[in-house]
């Protein structure tokens, strides 16, 4: 049976137990149920009673393509509610092969204990090591140093300086195959990790594969069928996912008019041609060197959506620039130069910051006059302030709400204190519903209606509530498994495969409807946690200015009725 | 009938209406009921839907001693809940004599409108004037300039630079008879005033007294009886209130062990002899010059609890240092020099900041290593940062929560995001109940159990819930009238006088019990507003460290049962 490993950061004591009743749940599903049982909803997010949970999906450690995402959760220091964020990289598969479903960091180091701790999982067992030389080291160097010490194939989960400073914009970093950074970015979970002085988790690959199957044959059959779907779709995958990753959508979003631009005051960016996916690929191909597309973040992935963006000399600037980065660090800041964008993206990553939260905070900082829109080097200087922990840097690193509060800006693109991702909800109204009602605020994964724009037009005032709710439910069900978003789109063609894969692992027999119902249950547990934590239904809304100020070029405000919005509540 | 004056800051339109159903309510009672009817609880505090309400008490404008306090209210930018704060000074009496019960500032100036507005009330009527030369001028100079222009006897309500920057630690300033500053300090109402670009309200005294009485003879009879009580008590008043104001309690609180010291980590201060009331009076008397005790903040006051603290050359440093200033700006920062304390107090005042919120934020800043405890000049330098609007200054000006968030300090002496006043709740447990459950968070006026320590010992674990609740109810009922705290203590000897005074003004006939019941009703309206605004009952608690870390010298934690705390809910 999969194990839960508890690490008491006060007593520095490590204990293991069977996953027990949590066995049927992975990732977000695990985190919601575990937190319901063990975390006081009203506790202080950076206090002694919160827990940092790192969990694999149900399929973690299998060789099924693209199923090895890592989930990180806890009570969010940003939203003050429940939070799960997930990441690519190798660590989830590494943990699962050690037979571990979840790591749970509990308690706080004693006052006066200033050490940085690394949890090491290897053939000798599980132990905490003090590694003070990693204190405030950037996430990129932290990965490189730990892989130098523990081997190139070691899984690494780590915190950047932002999380160590306990900035609420900090995410948790997960190393990819090629030692670049992937992110469980949102909700300030890096600050939670920082409060517990956990600088990193290192997982030396297990010699023995400890993934347990209820019926391995059944699992393998379903997995093969799914992988065949990927093989069948491979020409498309090569032309789209492998080339552009998520960046291919930039120009579409711009044309539809909801590309966050100039601190969410416009939905279309005049410099879009210079920061779109096509431009990225053109530059990568022309510059060569370390630059490439079609990079896998986890072993065994057939989709390989990552890329490495190089400078003019072919030297790597950033891996991997994604759509959300382009939207929040590019158009939202009016940066129309891909080199500036990639450099900013890399600095944000290396600091261990959430690019969405930070991009939105930088937009607010520009609105406040601290830097000029479009001034790439100016924004990069602010990254130096964050790294140095200056007052200004600490403000921005704490995200959009704190930046707005400090600099007297009231109109903030946030919901439940979390910044909006790359979809202005005035012109993609389904996402407005999701941002308003979902348990984690402005979020791009929990119920993103972008992919269903053929089904309900982005500007329509009806149907958005149902669309958002259904999408939220499906995503919550799928989060159990550990699949990445690209894999899901192929799997959706035959949802029975989800249930067959789950059966192969856990032995649970369920219909597709019952599978989706798990998503409903997860979301409701999260919502109940939030209400008990003090996040009342009064907070199920967007910022006031979005109901009032039209967004060019569509000229739309967020004009759904309250009734329509509330339909989105799961 | 008393008037309500509405000032639409968007259209710059002023309208008047009868107080109507609000006629029986003044001050906090008025504000609670008006907000229930007119302010969306879930609105953004600095957004277009919040309203800034300035109200007199029912007895405003009468010549009854000490009954002219001014109330300011709105949805708090600090706590996000309902807020009323009150101030001494002359303005409430001035407003009432113009026949005005309340000013209600609505809406926001249009985007791009950077003007500073002053509402002028004089013989010619009520109008908004643009006075951009007052922008970011300190509160003290603002009062002096406006009185130079409109006459020495003009009532002045104004905002300091902190409020204009929309800092959440900003209060609203009210000029006293001698043009020194008094404060409706708490809850960040200065930021609300700043959001509406209202720099000041000037009230040129009305030639005609427009205060209306239902039965002036009955009123006068009750008022005379009350004033006779003050005359009878005058020897005591002279020896205590007139000499020390509230500062006389400093050494008592220190001995009892709940004097906030070193960022609320101790309850007793070794330098207390240098910052207590006795020391203040000794220095005032020895230095002479502009220094004096027994100063009245409003006309007709027989208690005259204010003082002017002079420097070694007899030049005024600050008027008036009170107990809360000594606790939060003195012992809490380990400042043991009265000159440093008075200079810091004056700077806080002139910036238009709440001394309690700011003192607690400075304690957190010292905890974070930004300045050394005890370093008076160091703390004064931070005042310069606030005045200049630097990132560091803006952080501290935004109060304790923001300062803690930005600098990574989790243990904060706050409840509902508002800093605790000068009573560590671990050793004055009744105040812990009040801080936890009252609608406005850490507050020194809404249910302060200090005065009842003979009735329920400060360290007792039983009886505190009832004591807190009863005190909250009484204070809420009394807030209707506009009496200051010192006057109340004499009135309590014959509570029928409250009802007789109310009858004389409004014609309402009620028993003493019915009078107190109004306090219950006010508090419940406030609590309901909060719940609808998103402040859930989950927030009815103190910071976690106070349940865990003993406070020297008593060694007590906050150890009331949850049941006992919840008894405090009105």
């Amino acid at each position: 049976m999969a194990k839960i490993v508890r690490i008491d950061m006060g007593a520095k004591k490590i204990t293991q137990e069977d996953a027990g009743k949590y066995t049927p749940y992975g990732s977000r599903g695990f985190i919601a149920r575990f937190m319901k049982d063990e975390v006081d909803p009203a506790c202080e997010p950076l206090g002694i009673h919160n827990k940092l949970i790192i969990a694999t999906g149900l399929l973690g450690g299998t060789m099924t393509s693209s199923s090895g995402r890592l989930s990180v959760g806890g009570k969010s220091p940003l939203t003050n509610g429940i939070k799960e964020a997930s990441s690519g990289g190798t660590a989830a598969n590494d943990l699962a092969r050690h037979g571990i479903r979840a790591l749970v960091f509990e308690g706080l180091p004693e006052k006066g204990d200033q050490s940085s701790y690394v949890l090491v999982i290897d053939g000798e067992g599980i132990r905490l090591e003090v590694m003070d030389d990693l204190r405030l080291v950037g996430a990129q160097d932290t990965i490189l140093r730990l892989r130098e010490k523990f081997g190139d194939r070691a899984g690494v989960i780590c915190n950047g300086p932002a999380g160590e400073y306990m900035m609420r914009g900090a995410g948790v970093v997960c190393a990819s195959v090629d030692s670049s950074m992937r992110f469980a970015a949102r909700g300030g979970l890096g600050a939670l990790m920082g409060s517990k002085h956990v600088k990193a988790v290192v997982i030396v690959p297990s010699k023995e594969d400890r993934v347990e199957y209820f019926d391995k044959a059944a699992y393998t059959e379903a997995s093969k069928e799914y992988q065949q779907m990927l093989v069948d779709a491979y020409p498309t995958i090569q032309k789209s996912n492998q080339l552009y990753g998520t960046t291919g959508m930039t120009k579409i979003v711009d044309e539809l008019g909801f590309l966050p631009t100039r601190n969410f005051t416009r939905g279309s960016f005049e410099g879009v041609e210079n920061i779109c996916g096509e431009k990225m690929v053109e530059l990568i191909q022309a510059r060569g060197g370390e630059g490439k597309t079609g990079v896998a973040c986890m072993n065994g992935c057939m989709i390989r959506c990552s890329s490495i963006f190089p400078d003019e000399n072919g030297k790597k600037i950033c891996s991997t620039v994604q759509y959300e980065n382009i939207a929040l660090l590019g158009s939202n800041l009016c940066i129309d130069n891909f080199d500036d964008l990639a450099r900013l993206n890399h600095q944000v990553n290396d600091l261990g910051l959430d690019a969405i939260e930070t991009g939105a905070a930088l937009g607010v900082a520009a609105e406040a006059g601290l830097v000029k829109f479009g001034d790439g080097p100016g924004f990069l200087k602010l990254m130096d302030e964050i790294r140095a922990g200056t007052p200004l840097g600490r403000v921005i690193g704490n995200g959009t709400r704190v930046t707005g509060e400090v600099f007297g800006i009231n109109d903030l693109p946030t919901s439940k204190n979390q910044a909006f991702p790359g979809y202005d909800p005035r012109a993609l109204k389904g996402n407005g519903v999701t941002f308003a009602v979902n348990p984690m605020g402005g979020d791009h994964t929990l119920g993103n209606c972008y992919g269903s724009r053929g089904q309900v037009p982005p500007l329509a005032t009806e149907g958005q509530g149902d669309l958002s709710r259904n999408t939220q439910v499906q995503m919550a069900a799928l989060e159990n498994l550990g699949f990445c978003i690209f894999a899901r789109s192929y799997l959706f063609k035959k949802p029975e495969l989800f249930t067959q894969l789950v059966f192969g692992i856990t032995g649970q027999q369920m219909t597709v409807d019952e599978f989706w119902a798990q998503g409903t249950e997860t979301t409701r547990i999260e919502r109940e946690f939030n209400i008990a934590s003090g996040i009342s239904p009064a907070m199920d809304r967007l910022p006031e200015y979005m109901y009032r100020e039209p967004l060019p070029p569509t000229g739309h405000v967020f004009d759904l009725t309250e009734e329509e919005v509330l339909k989105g509540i799961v």
Side-chain angles (χ1 to χ4, degrees), chain A:
Chain A
M1 192 180 268
K3 300 275 186 239
I4 296 170
V5 180
R6 289 179 195 265
I7 307 98
D8 177 340
M9 293 305 296
K12 311 289 176 330
K13 202 176 140 202
I14 297 170
T15 53
Q16 296 189 41
E17 63 204 61
D18 285 342
K21 68 173 177 174
Y22 303 112
T23 303
Y25 305 103
S27 296
R28 184 174 156 201
F30 175 92
I31 288 167
R33 288 163 182 83
F34 190 86
M35 285 182 68
K36 178 187 172 186
D37 293 340
E38 297 213 359
V39 178
D40 173 5
C43 77
E44 294 170 5
L46 300 179
I48 202 164
H49 301 300
N50 198 5
K51 303 191 180 191
L52 174 71
I53 306 164
I54 296 177
T56 76
L58 281 184
L59 274 51
T62 68
M63 286 306 292
T64 303
S65 175
S66 330
S67 69
R69 283 183 74 81
L70 183 79
S71 279
V72 184
K75 179 167 173 175
S76 164
L78 186 73
T79 70
N80 233 17
I82 197 165
K83 184 65 203 157
E84 180 269 353
S86 73
S87 174
T90 72
N93 284 334
D94 296 327
L95 281 171
R97 284 178 200 144
H98 274 279
I100 296 170
R101 177 69 52 81
L103 306 173
V104 181
F105 293 90
E106 306 182 323
L108 290 181
E110 280 182 22
K111 281 208 170 180
D113 178 348
Q114 296 297 323
S115 293
S116 292
Y117 293 92
V118 175
L119 186 77
V120 179
I121 302 171
D122 62 13
E124 293 169 31
I126 306 178
R127 64 190 180 278
L128 276 174
E129 292 191 13
V130 173
M131 295 194 197
D132 289 342
D133 55 332
L134 290 180
R135 172 132 183 88
L136 295 181
V137 170
Q140 181 63 81
D141 258 7
T142 300
I143 291 170
L144 295 174
R145 289 201 209 173
L146 288 170
R147 283 202 166 157
E148 192 174 3
K149 183 165 179 175
F150 292 97
D152 277 353
R153 293 179 55 241
V156 176
I157 302 160
C158 74
N159 211 354
E164 295 176 86
Y165 285 131
M166 290 193 271
M167 294 172 178
R168 282 159 180 75
V172 173
V173 183
C174 188
S176 72
V177 176
D178 68 353
S179 297
S180 64
M181 296 167 277
R182 294 299 178 277
F183 275 84
R186 311 224 62 202
L189 295 170
L192 170 53
M193 191 168 181
S195 73
K196 299 195 183 298
H197 297 204
V198 179
K199 175 65 180 177
V201 175
V202 178
I203 311 119
V204 177
S206 174
K207 285 176 184 160
E208 183 190 343
D209 179 358
R210 294 197 175 86
V211 177
E212 289 180 15
Y213 298 85
F214 176 81
D215 182 339
K216 190 159 186 181
Y219 182 84
T220 305
E221 189 189 323
S223 180
K224 275 190 179 160
E225 187 176 348
Y226 151 63
Q227 305 224 150
Q228 187 58 46
M229 291 165 87
L230 294 185
V231 170
D232 294 344
Y234 207 65
T236 309
I237 291 173
Q238 281 182 303
K239 275 191 296 185
S240 59
N241 304 150
Q242 283 188 11
L243 215 46
Y244 299 109
T246 51
T247 68
M249 58 197 276
T250 312
K251 284 173 69 174
I252 303 168
V253 173
D254 183 75
E255 276 157 33
L256 290 168
F258 49 85
L259 180 69
T261 302
R262 206 180 177 90
N263 185 30
F264 284 81
T265 59
R266 298 187 51 83
S268 172
F269 179 45
E270 59 183 13
V272 72
E273 292 291 346
N274 295 324
I275 59 167
C276 62
E278 292 80 353
K279 184 72 176 185
M280 179 184 81
V281 171
E282 177 196 319
L283 289 168
I284 290 173
Q285 290 176 344
R287 290 173 172 183
E290 294 173 11
K292 54 178 163 175
T293 57
V295 177
C297 76
M298 56 183 75
N299 290 309
C301 177
M302 296 170 68
I303 296 176
R304 307 203 304 269
C305 69
S306 296
S307 62
I308 299 173
F309 185 82
D311 67 13
E312 289 188 339
N313 302 316
K315 203 167 148 41
K316 167 180 162 181
I317 299 179
C318 182
S319 168
T320 182
V321 181
Q322 298 177 354
Y323 168 70
E324 303 294 344
N325 309 89
I326 288 176
L328 273 297
L329 299 172
S331 54
N332 191 48
L333 309 181
C334 300
I335 289 178
D336 64 355
N337 174 309
F338 216 106
D339 290 346
D340 283 352
L341 165 58
R343 287 198 176 90
L344 186 58
N345 196 161
H346 180 74
Q347 285 301 315
V348 167
N349 288 354
D350 189 53
L351 286 162
L353 284 167
D354 172 12
I356 295 174
E357 191 64 43
T358 307
L362 290 170
V364 171
E367 189 76 44
L370 293 160
V371 54
K372 283 192 179 141
F373 284 107
D375 178 9
F379 286 106
L380 275 168
K381 272 187 203 157
L382 291 179
M383 296 302 104
D384 298 338
E385 300 260 353
I386 296 174
R387 197 173 293 272
T390 67
L392 175 57
R394 284 175 178 270
V395 169
I396 294 169
N398 267 289
T400 312
R401 173 183 55 84
V402 169
T403 303
E405 285 185 349
V406 169
F407 292 107
I409 305 290
N410 186 60
D411 295 341
L412 301 175
T414 62
S415 172
K416 300 191 176 73
N417 293 330
Q418 183 165 265
F420 294 156
Y423 318 83
D424 194 302
R426 285 168 285 191
L428 181 62
K429 297 183 201 288
N431 276 18
V433 176
T434 300
F435 298 168
V437 304
N438 96 72
M440 301 180 196
D443 191 284
H444 61 303
T445 61
L446 294 192
N448 194 333
C449 301
Y450 172 76
S452 309
R453 63 195 182 283
Q455 194 181 328
V456 180
L459 295 171
T461 51
E462 289 182 9
Q464 306 286 7
D466 289 342
L467 175 65
S468 167
R469 190 184 63 252
N470 293 338
T471 312
Q472 289 177 65
V473 166
Q474 287 182 340
M475 291 303 120
L478 286 169
E479 294 280 0
N480 245 343
L481 274 58
F483 274 117
C484 94
I485 187 117
F486 281 136
R488 293 174 195 166
S489 64
Y490 298 101
L491 277 160
F492 263 108
K493 293 173 186 164
K494 192 176 175 191
E496 294 76 16
L497 280 178
F498 294 125
T499 62
Q500 290 166 29
L501 289 166
V502 170
F503 172 78
I505 297 281
T506 69
Q508 288 171 285
Q509 287 186 302
M510 61 175 109
T511 64
V512 170
D513 282 348
E514 286 165 346
F515 177 77
W516 297 135
Q518 287 193 333
T520 304
E521 187 183 306
T522 297
T523 310
R524 287 186 182 162
I525 291 170
E526 292 168 340
R527 188 169 172 87
E528 277 164 30
F529 184 97
N530 274 5
I531 287 171
S533 81
I535 298 184
S536 94
M539 295 176 189
D540 289 334
R541 41 162 77 191
L542 300 184
E544 288 174 2
Y545 77 101
M546 291 202 166
Y547 296 89
R548 190 174 66 226
E549 297 189 7
L551 182 74
T554 62
H556 269 248
V557 299
F558 187 73
D559 54 1
L560 300 191
T561 62
E562 192 179 348
E563 190 190 352
E564 185 67 29
V565 172
L566 297 184
K567 280 182 189 166
I569 296 175
V570 174

